[in-house]
């Protein structure tokens, strides 16, 4: 039966022709930012053609986002790289960032989170360490990490918090720890619990503990009146837990709040002796074993799982067949410990855009990552070792003191081009000062140099009396210098300076009903020295609606009338994001439409589990900008063979049938 199913797939692979396409690799640094209508991050797109070579210089790349605004929408490549500067809007949330390469009919997407408050940036760099000599397992499908060990041999550490217990379960997305027979060490004190439910990032929770309580010792009659005598005795009680200690519970807590969640439905699990969790980023495992159901399929000393994007199992991350083409992504870890990871990575081929097609090319990369919690986070990457299109990249963020943060980024593709950007911000009483800049220059060929420096001062928010509105004020200075040589060796230099006074009104989140929230922000930029377009205006309104269990929809309207891309994207923009996960069906969609310009982007993914063996999937990508159109859609059917799937796909881009083996998670 299995051979009969595979036979037509093999025949299709033998007669399929190769199709031209390109791949887009996206990186955003810093990895998180604040929705303050001021902060910026750099979106780097590396674009390679079907053979794995970087696309020609001057290839047009279009940047788009559902939250915030790109400083330049249309950017051309330099040595295969295109970079867009994404400026935060005033509304927090997860932005869908889209990068389109019309000449190669390719679209790449990624997610980026804008936080509501600058204080939350610190938690994005924290890590949680769990050691369990007996049993530690991570459920790949629901982000649960559980560990057991008699005699309190399971140990969890998070900043100054330490927990020793017989059993521990960590819900990574919620920072919630559930534990049995536990000792909590916090604020230099130890507390014993029979059961414990504790949120690490808020240092609050509930537990059952033996504490002194008033109990009735005797009842005596004094005349006709009963006299009740009490005394202090130790008894098991429900208590509230904070960083200051434990107190008698003053509010109810359900008994099911102590129950461990059931990970048994998770198909893929990872067993290890030690795990280091970087929330929102990744998990590192030592002495890892990968299980699919009850079967152990892989054993490796050091292993890492990304928490962003699709969670594929180890074998799918290493090797798969996409569109009849073998793809390999093998990480050989040189070292792995809290705060530092180094590895050599071998890559062969990869996915092309969002569809079912693939590209070629072989690469060897060296990657070094370091993390010291809030204070120090960065990495060094040397990609394409031995190739003539290698790249050297450096990333670093640092907390100089509790009030001062800085970051820097540097790229040097093949020694031909140098790009860097950086920022340093300082929080004072009532206001913040930020100095940022980016620069690029050619190292070979025609001379080219571009420099941009910005200095801004922004006040902390002040609430308007009796209104759910917070006001922010600021002033910004910008200097831009561009110098380049023409073919006739004539030097051309352009200078630009700008002064802007800014105000921002932020609507505090309003609850329309139990399932609907409203957020809004409006910013003005006044440039006193300009005679034309002296006033710029940016506004956003977002409605978030929970559509029952497992479904939600976000709708955003943006008004943009500024110096940047209002002419290209228009002044009015609608964006939406939706998700449905119910039973056998999974569906997600997001898109952006300019109401007064030729700009439309629409992406959708659909999956339906027909039975325990068969699954249907589809993707749709449409992108239109000033007459350039990218359209791709495809269908896939997957069949489970044992613990894995094989799939048969069709894509409009390739116009042919293709085979997917191992990496068949289309949605």
């Amino acid at each position: 039966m299995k051979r009969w199913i595979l036979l037509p797939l093999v025949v299709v692979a033998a007669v399929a022709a190769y199709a031209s396409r390109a791949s887009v690799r996206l990186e955003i640094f810093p990895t998180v930012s604040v929705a303050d209508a001021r902060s910026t991050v750099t979106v780097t797109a590396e674009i390679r053609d079907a053979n794995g070579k970087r696309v020609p210089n001057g290839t047009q790349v279009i940047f788009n986002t559902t939250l915030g605004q790109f400083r330049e929408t249309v950017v051309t490549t330099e040595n295969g790289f295109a970079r867009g500067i994404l400026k935060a809007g005033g509304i927090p949330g997860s932005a869908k960032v889209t990068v389109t390469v019309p000449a190669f009919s390719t679209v790449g997407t990624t997610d980026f989170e804008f936080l509501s408050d600058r204080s939350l940036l610190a938690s994005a760099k924290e890590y949680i360490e769990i050691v369990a000599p007996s049993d530690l397992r991570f459920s790949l499908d629901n982000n649960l990490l559980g560990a057991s060990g008699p005699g309190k041999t399971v140990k969890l550490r998070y900043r100054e918090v330490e927990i020793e217990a017989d059993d521990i379960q960590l819900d990574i997305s919620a920072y919630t720890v559930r534990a049995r027979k536990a000792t909590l060490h916090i604020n230099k004190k130890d507390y014993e619990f029979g059961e414990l439910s504790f949120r690490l990032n808020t240092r609050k929770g509930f537990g059952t503990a033996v504490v002194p309580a008033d109990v009735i010792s005797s009842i005596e009659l004094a005349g006709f009146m009963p006299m009740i005598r009490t005394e202090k005795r130790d008894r098991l009680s429900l208590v509230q837990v904070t960083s200051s200690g434990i107190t008698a519970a003053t509010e109810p807590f359900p008994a099911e709040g102590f129950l461990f969640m059931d990970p048994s439905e998770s198909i893929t699990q990872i067993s290890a002796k030690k795990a280091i969790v970087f929330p929102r980023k990744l998990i590192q495992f030592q002495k890892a074993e990968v299980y699919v159901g009850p079967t152990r399929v892989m054993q490796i000393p050091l292993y890492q799982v990304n928490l962003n994007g699709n969670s594929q199992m180890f074998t799918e991350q290493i090797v798969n067949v996409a569109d009849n083409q073998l793809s390999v992504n093998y990480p050989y870890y040189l070292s792995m410990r809290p705060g530092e990871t180094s590895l050599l990575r071998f890559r062969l081929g990869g996915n092309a855009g969002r569809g079912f097609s693939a590209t070629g090319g072989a690469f060897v990369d060296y990657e070094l990552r370091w993390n010291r919690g809030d204070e120090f986070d960065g990495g060094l990457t040397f990609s394409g070792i031995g190739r003539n299109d290698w790249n050297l990249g450096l990333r670093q963020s640092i907390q100089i003191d509790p009030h001062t943060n800085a970051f820097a980024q540097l790229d040097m593709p093949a020694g031909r081009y140098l790009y860097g950007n950086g920022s340093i911000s300082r929080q004072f009483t009532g206001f913040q000062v930020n100095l940022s800049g980016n620069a690029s220059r050619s190292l070979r060929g025609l001379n080219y140099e571009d420099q941009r420096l910005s200095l801004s001062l922004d006040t902390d928010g002040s609430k308007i009396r009796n209104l759910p509105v917070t006001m922010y004020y600021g002033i910004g200075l910008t200097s831009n210098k561009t110098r380049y040589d023409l073919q006739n060796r004539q030097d051309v230099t352009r200078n630009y300076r700008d002064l802007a006074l800014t105000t921002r009104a932020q609507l505090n989140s309003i609850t329309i009903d139990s399932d609907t929230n409203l957020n809004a922000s409006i910013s003005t930029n006044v440039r006193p020295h300009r005679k034309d377009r002296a006033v710029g205006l940016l506004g956003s309104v977002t409605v978030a609606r929970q559509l029952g269990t497992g479904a939600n929809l976000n709708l955003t309207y943006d008004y943009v009338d500024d110096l940047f891309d209002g002419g290209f994207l228009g002044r009015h923009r609608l964006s939406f994001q939706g998700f449905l996960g119910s039973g056998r069906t999974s569906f997600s969609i997001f898109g952006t439409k300019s109401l007064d310009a030729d700009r439309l982007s629409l992406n959708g993914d659909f999956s339906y589990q027909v039975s325990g063996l068969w699954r249907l999937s589809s993707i749709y990508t449409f992108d239109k900008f000033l007459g350039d159109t990218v359209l791709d859609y495809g269908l896939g059917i997957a069949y489970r063979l044992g613990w894995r799937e094989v799939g048969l796909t069709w894509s409009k881009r390739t116009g042919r049938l293709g085979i997917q083996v191992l990496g068949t998670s289309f949605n």
Side-chain angles (χ1 to χ4, degrees):
M1 177 65 179
K2 295 180 181 179
R3 293 180 180 178
W4 178 84
I5 294 173
L6 284 174
L7 181 59
L9 304 184
V10 175
V11 172
V12 170
V15 300
Y18 191 75
S20 176
R21 59 194 71 97
S23 64
V24 179
R25 297 182 70 198
L26 294 177
E27 180 190 34
I28 303 182
F29 188 82
T31 54
V32 291
S33 187
V34 181
D36 57 3
R38 169 69 70 179
S39 297
T40 61
V41 297
T42 300
V43 181
T44 302
E46 181 185 16
I47 301 114
R48 294 182 179 270
D49 62 18
N51 299 315
K53 296 181 179 179
R54 292 198 175 120
V55 298
N57 289 348
T59 299
Q60 191 180 73
V61 180
I62 302 167
F63 288 85
N64 191 39
T65 178
T66 56
L67 288 177
Q69 175 196 12
F70 275 100
R71 183 174 291 163
E72 294 178 330
T73 299
V74 182
V75 180
T76 56
T77 58
E78 186 73 30
N79 291 293
F81 287 90
R83 293 176 177 85
I85 305 300
L86 175 57
K87 179 182 176 182
I91 296 178
S94 180
K96 288 285 186 181
V97 177
T98 305
V99 174
T100 308
V101 190
F104 290 85
S105 297
T106 296
V107 175
T109 62
T110 189
D111 296 323
F112 184 80
E113 186 173 7
F114 287 108
L115 303 176
S116 59
D117 188 84
R118 189 165 297 276
S119 63
L120 299 175
L121 288 174
S123 64
K125 303 174 184 177
E126 299 168 343
Y127 65 86
I128 306 166
E129 183 181 50
I130 299 180
V131 179
S134 299
D135 181 46
L136 185 152
R137 290 212 171 201
F138 171 66
S139 171
L140 206 62
D141 299 325
N142 47 29
N143 280 352
L144 287 177
L145 202 157
S148 300
K152 296 184 179 179
T153 54
V154 181
K155 298 181 180 180
L156 180 147
R157 181 169 63 90
Y158 170 81
R159 289 192 167 189
E160 82 286 359
V161 178
E162 295 183 9
I163 299 175
E164 299 176 353
D166 282 10
D167 302 286
I168 281 180
Q169 187 179 79
L170 171 65
D171 184 345
I172 296 173
S173 58
Y175 276 82
T176 300
V177 176
R178 294 177 176 87
R180 302 189 186 105
K181 295 184 179 179
T183 300
L184 170 66
H185 179 81
I186 188 171
N187 201 19
K188 299 181 180 180
K189 293 183 179 180
D190 291 336
Y191 302 95
E192 301 290 335
F193 299 94
E195 295 178 299
L196 176 67
S197 177
F198 188 72
R199 289 198 69 174
L200 295 172
N201 54 345
T202 62
R203 314 303 198 277
K204 294 181 180 179
F206 288 86
T208 57
V210 176
V211 295
D214 291 326
V215 297
I216 298 175
S217 59
S218 62
I219 300 177
E220 300 177 358
L221 289 176
F224 295 99
M225 298 295 296
M227 179 177 293
I228 301 175
R229 299 184 182 275
T230 62
E231 63 182 41
K232 293 287 186 181
R233 292 183 184 176
D234 290 340
R235 62 180 298 178
L236 186 66
S237 304
L238 179 68
V239 296
Q240 290 182 243
V241 188
T242 65
S243 57
S244 302
I246 61 176
T247 57
T250 57
E251 56 185 273
F253 184 76
E256 54 268 24
F258 295 118
L259 296 179
F260 282 29
M261 299 175 66
D262 183 12
S264 60
E265 295 183 358
S266 176
I267 298 175
T268 305
Q269 295 190 3
I270 298 172
S271 175
K273 298 297 182 184
K274 182 178 181 179
I276 304 165
V277 182
F278 296 87
R280 298 192 181 120
K281 291 184 179 180
L282 54 89
I283 306 179
Q284 297 173 345
F285 296 96
Q286 295 185 10
K287 297 182 179 180
E289 297 178 338
V290 181
Y291 287 83
V292 178
T295 305
R296 188 179 72 180
V297 297
M298 190 69 64
Q299 184 175 6
I300 188 169
L302 301 172
Y303 180 47
Q304 181 170 294
V305 171
N306 292 325
L307 295 177
N308 294 322
N310 292 335
S311 297
Q312 293 181 320
M313 65 164 293
F314 181 77
T315 52
E316 292 182 351
Q317 291 179 345
I318 287 184
V319 59
N320 64 70
V321 175
D323 189 31
N324 315 319
Q325 181 170 315
L326 177 67
S327 296
V328 177
N329 189 340
Y330 179 76
Y332 178 76
Y333 291 93
L334 303 174
S335 66
M336 183 184 291
R337 55 181 179 267
E340 183 177 307
T341 302
S342 64
L343 61 93
L344 286 173
R345 186 184 301 276
F346 174 69
R347 294 184 287 123
L348 177 65
N351 293 329
R354 285 178 19 86
F356 297 142
S357 53
T359 61
F363 308 88
V364 177
D365 307 332
Y366 171 76
E367 302 174 14
L368 175 64
R369 299 284 186 267
W370 52 81
N371 183 294
R372 301 290 185 271
D374 300 347
E375 295 80 18
F376 212 69
D377 185 19
L380 172 69
T381 302
F382 185 16
S383 60
I385 298 174
R387 296 174 58 103
N388 59 8
D389 57 357
W390 54 269
N391 181 65
L392 183 65
L394 178 67
R395 309 287 186 267
Q396 180 64 60
S397 63
I398 183 172
Q399 186 183 71
I400 300 174
D401 60 45
H403 305 287
T404 310
N405 293 276
F407 76 85
Q409 174 181 355
L410 183 68
D411 280 305
M412 186 172 64
R416 298 190 180 98
Y417 184 78
L418 190 65
Y419 174 84
N421 69 47
S423 174
I424 182 170
S425 60
R426 171 77 178 181
Q427 181 68 50
F428 296 90
T429 302
F431 66 95
Q432 176 183 296
V433 176
N434 183 79
L435 176 65
S436 63
N438 56 72
S440 58
R441 62 172 302 170
S442 59
L443 301 178
R444 300 182 191 176
L446 293 177
N447 290 328
Y448 172 81
E449 184 178 358
D450 182 77
Q451 299 175 358
R452 180 185 177 92
L453 189 66
S454 299
L455 176 66
S456 64
L457 183 151
D458 297 279
T459 65
D460 294 343
S462 57
K463 294 184 178 180
I464 297 181
R465 183 183 302 177
N466 298 328
L467 291 177
V469 178
T470 303
M471 294 297 301
Y472 302 83
Y473 306 92
I475 182 172
L477 299 170
T478 301
S479 175
N480 190 206
K481 177 182 178 181
T482 302
R483 185 181 64 83
Y484 55 91
D485 290 344
L486 300 177
Q487 293 288 349
N488 58 7
R489 302 298 181 183
Q490 180 182 1
D491 182 80
V492 177
T493 302
R494 294 177 179 174
N495 293 298
Y496 171 78
R497 292 180 177 84
D498 185 40
L499 168 67
L501 305 176
T502 64
T503 62
R504 177 165 65 99
Q506 178 72 51
L507 178 69
N508 302 332
S509 182
I510 295 178
T511 300
I512 299 176
D513 57 39
S514 59
D515 298 316
T516 310
N517 291 305
L518 174 68
N519 289 276
S521 173
I522 185 169
S523 304
T524 60
N525 301 300
V526 180
R527 296 172 172 85
H529 63 289
R530 293 183 61 97
K531 295 181 180 180
D532 60 321
R533 302 196 62 186
V535 179
L537 182 63
L538 303 173
S540 294
V541 179
T542 294
V543 177
R545 173 76 175 177
Q546 189 70 31
L547 304 174
T549 304
N552 58 70
L553 177 66
N554 290 356
L555 181 64
T556 300
Y557 166 77
D558 292 296
Y559 179 83
V560 179
D561 185 10
D562 206 10
L563 292 178
F564 300 125
D565 290 320
F568 289 104
L569 290 178
R571 290 187 172 90
H572 306 275
R573 182 181 70 180
L574 280 177
S575 302
F576 61 91
Q577 300 181 53
F579 175 78
L580 169 64
S582 177
R584 299 180 177 184
T585 304
S586 175
F587 175 69
S588 64
I589 187 172
F590 70 92
T592 299
K593 175 70 173 77
S594 294
L595 303 182
D596 54 345
D598 187 18
R599 176 61 170 146
L600 172 63
S601 179
L602 180 63
N603 298 271
D605 299 273
F606 173 80
S607 177
Y608 179 72
Q609 193 75 37
V610 179
S611 67
L613 296 178
W614 293 94
R615 183 165 60 88
L616 298 176
S617 297
S618 66
I619 61 101
Y620 181 86
T621 301
F622 180 84
D623 200 285
K624 185 179 181 183
F625 181 72
L626 299 181
D628 290 323
T629 300
V630 175
L631 174 63
D632 188 23
Y633 51 86
L635 301 172
I637 181 170
Y639 180 81
R640 182 174 297 279
L641 290 176
W643 49 269
R644 281 295 85 189
E645 289 180 337
V646 296
L648 185 65
T649 65
W650 179 87
S651 171
K652 178 187 180 298
R653 174 187 293 184
T654 62
R656 66 181 190 185
L657 294 174
I659 290 178
Q660 302 279 114
V661 180
L662 292 181
T664 53
S665 295
F666 307 135
N667 55 317

